[in-house]
Amino acid sequence: MKNSKRPLSPHLQVYKPQLTSVLSISHRIAGAILSGVSIIIPAGLYFFSFGENIFTEFLNFFNHYFFKFILIFLIFILSYHLFNGVRHLLWDLGVGLEIKESYLTGYLVIFLSFASTFVLIFIFQIHKGVW
């Protein structure tokens, strides 16, 4: 057994990726990204405490197209994490555990994430001051 190159237990290399496993892993990654990016909120409050001029400079820093693209990505991640979190809570209640229901709710999570992202972008486009 010492000379065997086989893994001791099944690993990601053995399994074919399925929708449920990909969504579960991406849910964890989305949570980690949202945790890391959440520092922007207290930073904004910190710069806001120095007055309007400093806060305006802080906002102008994020007014670049690169940061707008990142904002769209973060909106998608936030909505995905929210909808998939509700899906996981329903699983904890024993709802939607059948394979057909699991795949249906998985595709619903993806659709709702994209739809809510596009709706929010549309709302931001209407209110040009925010975007």
Side-chain angles (χ1 to χ4, degrees):
M1 189 68 179
K2 287 183 179 182
N3 295 332
S4 177
K5 302 266 184 193
R6 297 182 349 191
L8 296 177
S9 62
H11 199 266
L12 293 175
Q13 301 156 341
V14 177
Y15 294 111
K16 177 183 168 188
Q18 300 170 344
L19 181 67
T20 52
S21 63
V22 170
L23 291 181
S24 179
I25 292 168
S26 60
H27 181 77
R28 295 165 195 237
I29 293 171
I33 291 172
L34 290 172
S35 296
V37 178
S38 66
I39 192 68
I40 293 173
I41 295 170
L45 292 173
Y46 176 74
F47 287 115
F48 183 71
S49 69
F50 287 116
E52 185 177 346
N53 293 335
I54 301 294
F55 186 66
T56 303
E57 290 297 321
F58 175 76
L59 291 180
N60 287 338
F61 178 75
F62 288 104
N63 201 20
H64 193 269
Y65 285 106
F66 176 72
F67 289 111
K68 288 182 181 182
F69 176 75
I70 290 177
L71 178 63
I72 292 170
F73 182 66
L74 290 175
I75 290 171
F76 174 76
I77 288 178
L78 181 65
S79 62
Y80 168 74
H81 193 71
L82 172 72
F83 292 127
N84 203 36
V86 170
R87 179 176 176 237
H88 276 271
L89 289 174
L90 289 173
W91 282 355
D92 290 342
L93 295 173
V95 177
L97 294 176
E98 298 294 323
I99 292 176
K100 184 178 178 180
E101 295 170 341
S102 178
Y103 272 80
L104 179 66
T105 57
Y107 288 123
L108 184 63
V109 163
I110 294 170
F111 172 77
L112 289 175
S113 300
F114 278 110
S116 63
T117 302
F118 288 128
V119 166
L120 286 173
I121 291 170
F122 179 72
I123 290 171
F124 287 156
Q125 287 297 325
I126 291 174
H127 301 289
K128 294 285 185 178
V130 176
W131 193 251

